[in-house]
Amino acid sequence: MYMRRKIDDFLTHWKESPDHMPLIIKGARQIGKTASVREFARKNYKNFIEINFIFEPQYKQITADGYSAQQIIKNMTLINPGLKLIPGETLLFFDEIQDHPDIATTLKSFQEDKRFDVICSGSLLGINYKKIESVSVGYKQNYDMRSLDFEEFLWTQGYQSDTITSILDHMLTLTPFSTLELSRYSSLFLDYCVLGGMPAVVRKYVESGTFEETLDIQKQLLLDYEEDVRKYADGMDQTRIINVFRHITPQLAKENKKFQISKVASGARFRDYRGCIEWLLDAGIVQACYCLNYPELPLKGNYDADKFKLYYADSGLLIATLDSEAQKEFRAYRNLGVYKGALYENIIAEALVKSDLPLYYYKKENSTLEEDFFARSANDLVPIEVKSTNNVSKSLKSLIHSQSYPEIHYGIKLIEGNLGYAEQIYSFPHFCACMLNRFLQNRNPDTTKSLA
């Protein structure tokens, strides 16, 4: 069963572009890269050649005699004379290229040759990407892929694009959701929180209609990630990387969610672990939310690289790391106790990243002023607060109404409840998080004037 993904439309537009370049699809392992390329090839090409450098290591020899497209094709057919390469009708797919990054050196030649379309992909590409980037700059296009977001999850449940359009319309017009809409979307969102967006997990849920066996798949994925550390973290302290990975959940459970190296191991120093954290970030396994120096624009460059929170790139994997009692509580009663705030922060962080919003937070030293996330629109800096209920947001109000932050004119609160607007704060249900970037791009300030 193939599940519709957002990359599908991107690949279609890529092929239709008359000057499209070889494509590199980046992303963590098992997020659906290979399945999406295969489905795209099935629908759009008469001929499809897939080479996987892990399962077919003999193909690493195809670059032994040089990097020209002609030489690569010659060596491929030497290894397998049965390959058919039809100019204009063939897609070459080089998969798991982290095991043979030299293949990226051929992309310039394939771009100039133009007889065949080329897509490269692989898990943990971020680890070797500096090398790949240096040899193919200007001759390839990138696409960053992640696990399913909530919109894609809705597609697996039979909802169409008009559902997302309707949710966005509610947000832009500040029209409350009906009781049925709110109940249904909130319930689906909680299911998504339990599952996360890893395709194998979601597929099992879709096929069975239950959560049975989904936890086992999630736990296996976590083990697979740790195995990747042992396989690909060359020249680094693999134990330290795994320790950092395993300490994300307990640190998110604390009131102060800033990631503290001192909590990972006794006597641990940040300089000894910086590379470990960067490895996990490059692998696409985790994502970092950096602390702003001050709530003002621009965001880039206005943060402390040594102060950050770490979140799982897929919240379903966070759920899988919880102790068995917390697992039962959430799956049966949707109650996470101490982990509830951590889960909602992680799922919102995930939604922001998947909608192309970078992660920043702010915590004022020696003060209670703290804000979960920030985004920017064309002219505004927008604080975003995550609530497990719908209680008062003192920090949000302070940021909006204080003259000390002139670029903040309104804020967003993500809540368990219906949407609304008061005191320059938009309140949206948690399930709207995947729409925040589109809301910021399309927001009409006139909509709120009658409510001011």
Side-chain angles (χ1 to χ4, degrees), residues 96-372:
E96 303 295 4
I97 69 169
Q98 77 279 356
D99 267 44
H100 188 55
D102 274 1
I103 195 65
T105 309
T106 69
L107 299 185
K108 177 180 178 180
S109 182
F110 275 111
Q111 166 64 10
E112 294 171 342
D113 184 279
K114 295 186 181 300
R115 287 180 296 163
F116 311 105
D117 286 349
V118 178
I119 295 178
C120 298
S121 186
S123 307
L124 304 169
L125 265 187
I127 306 304
N128 292 315
Y129 197 66
K130 290 181 180 178
K131 180 178 180 181
I132 292 172
E133 179 73 16
S134 66
V135 299
S136 59
V137 62
Y139 297 97
K140 56 100 178 86
Q141 187 173 354
N142 294 331
Y143 183 90
D144 290 317
M145 189 175 179
R146 299 179 174 88
S147 61
L148 282 82
D149 64 13
F150 183 55
E151 181 176 357
E152 291 172 312
F153 177 73
L154 288 176
W155 293 344
T156 72
Q157 302 303 296
Y159 294 91
Q160 303 302 316
S161 297
D162 57 351
T163 298
I164 293 298
T165 301
S166 173
I167 292 174
L168 180 59
D169 286 344
H170 276 278
M171 297 169 69
L172 293 171
T173 61
L174 293 176
T175 304
F177 293 97
S178 70
T179 301
L180 178 59
E181 288 173 322
L182 185 64
S183 173
R184 183 58 180 156
Y185 296 149
S186 296
S187 177
L188 286 165
F189 181 76
L190 285 171
D191 287 348
Y192 175 69
C193 287
V194 172
L195 296 164
M198 300 301 284
V201 179
V202 176
R203 184 177 297 107
K204 187 66 180 179
Y205 173 77
V206 172
E207 291 173 349
S208 68
T210 71
F211 295 105
E212 187 177 358
E213 297 182 33
T214 57
L215 178 59
D216 292 336
I217 298 173
Q218 290 169 329
K219 288 185 174 181
Q220 184 59 52
L221 287 168
L222 290 170
L223 293 174
D224 290 343
Y225 280 153
E226 293 193 6
E227 182 59 31
D228 283 339
V229 174
R230 297 184 180 95
K231 181 177 180 180
Y232 292 105
D234 296 328
M236 296 188 66
D237 191 328
Q238 299 170 359
T239 301
R240 286 181 177 177
I241 296 176
I242 292 173
N243 280 344
V244 170
F245 185 52
R246 291 178 178 177
H247 275 80
I248 294 174
T249 299
Q251 295 212 25
L252 283 177
K254 298 181 182 300
E255 185 175 351
N256 177 12
K257 295 179 175 60
K258 173 190 168 187
F259 195 81
Q260 297 173 290
I261 293 297
S262 60
K263 304 295 184 183
V264 174
S266 177
R269 296 173 297 182
F270 182 78
R271 66 174 180 267
D272 297 327
Y273 279 81
R274 181 187 291 275
C276 301
I277 294 167
E278 290 176 351
W279 195 96
L280 291 168
L281 291 169
D282 288 342
I285 296 172
V286 303
Q287 46 207 16
C289 181
Y290 293 99
C291 184
L292 293 174
N293 295 318
Y294 193 77
E296 63 182 0
L297 297 173
L299 293 175
K300 288 187 176 180
N302 175 28
Y303 64 89
D304 188 336
D306 294 341
K307 293 181 181 178
F308 52 84
K309 304 175 188 178
L310 287 182
Y311 297 105
Y312 284 88
D314 186 271
S315 296
L317 299 184
L318 167 61
I319 295 291
T321 65
L322 303 182
D323 58 73
S324 58
E325 289 304 314
Q327 285 275 352
K328 293 176 183 177
E329 279 288 300
F330 187 68
R331 288 174 177 267
Y333 306 110
R334 301 298 196 265
N335 177 26
L336 269 184
V338 68
Y339 291 105
K340 194 167 188 179
L343 171 65
Y344 280 115
E345 270 198 41
N346 202 110
I347 197 73
I348 299 307
E350 180 186 349
L352 296 178
V353 169
K354 288 179 176 178
S355 60
D356 297 322
L357 288 172
L359 300 180
Y360 300 100
Y361 78 102
Y362 180 67
K363 182 175 176 60
K364 189 175 183 180
E365 295 295 337
N366 303 317
S367 171
T368 58
L369 182 62
E370 181 175 6
E371 198 54 75
D372 297 324

Side-chain angles (χ1 to χ4, degrees), residues 64-102:
D65 302 310
Y67 299 103
S68 71
Q70 184 62 40
Q71 187 65 58
I72 297 301
I73 297 302
K74 177 181 177 181
N75 286 347
M76 286 169 56
T77 54
L78 278 173
I79 294 172
N80 183 357
L83 292 179
K84 295 180 180 179
L85 291 103
I86 307 169
E89 298 179 353
T90 299
L91 174 63
L92 294 178
F93 179 37
F94 297 114
D95 201 5
E96 303 295 4
I97 69 169
Q98 77 279 356
D99 267 44
H100 188 55
D102 274 1

Side-chain angles (χ1 to χ4, degrees), residues 313-450:
D314 186 271
S315 296
L317 299 184
L318 167 61
I319 295 291
T321 65
L322 303 182
D323 58 73
S324 58
E325 289 304 314
Q327 285 275 352
K328 293 176 183 177
E329 279 288 300
F330 187 68
R331 288 174 177 267
Y333 306 110
R334 301 298 196 265
N335 177 26
L336 269 184
V338 68
Y339 291 105
K340 194 167 188 179
L343 171 65
Y344 280 115
E345 270 198 41
N346 202 110
I347 197 73
I348 299 307
E350 180 186 349
L352 296 178
V353 169
K354 288 179 176 178
S355 60
D356 297 322
L357 288 172
L359 300 180
Y360 300 100
Y361 78 102
Y362 180 67
K363 182 175 176 60
K364 189 175 183 180
E365 295 295 337
N366 303 317
S367 171
T368 58
L369 182 62
E370 181 175 6
E371 198 54 75
D372 297 324
F373 301 106
F374 286 84
R376 72 162 301 170
S377 61
N379 303 305
D380 300 307
L381 177 62
V382 184
I384 301 171
E385 189 154 315
V386 183
K387 295 289 188 182
S388 57
T389 55
N390 186 16
N391 51 351
V392 177
S393 306
K394 292 181 179 179
S395 291
L396 195 55
K397 290 182 178 179
S398 297
L399 288 166
I400 295 168
H401 298 295
S402 172
Q403 295 182 354
S404 300
Y405 314 106
E407 292 166 317
I408 298 177
H409 302 107
Y410 65 95
I412 293 173
K413 185 168 61 169
L414 294 163
I415 64 169
E416 185 176 319
N418 215 326
L419 62 77
Y421 178 82
E423 299 183 87
Q424 295 165 257
I425 298 174
Y426 294 90
S427 296
F428 296 129
H430 295 120
F431 61 77
C432 293
C434 68
M435 305 299 298
L436 287 185
N437 199 356
R438 276 173 274 189
F439 170 78
L440 294 174
Q441 293 174 14
N442 294 281
R443 169 182 170 268
N444 183 359
D446 293 338
T447 304
T448 62
K449 287 182 178 179
S450 62

Side-chain angles (χ1 to χ4, degrees), residues 27-41:
R29 67 174 296 145
Q30 299 189 45
I31 57 170
K33 301 182 296 297
T34 300
S36 293
V37 173
R38 288 172 177 168
E39 179 69 8
F40 167 67

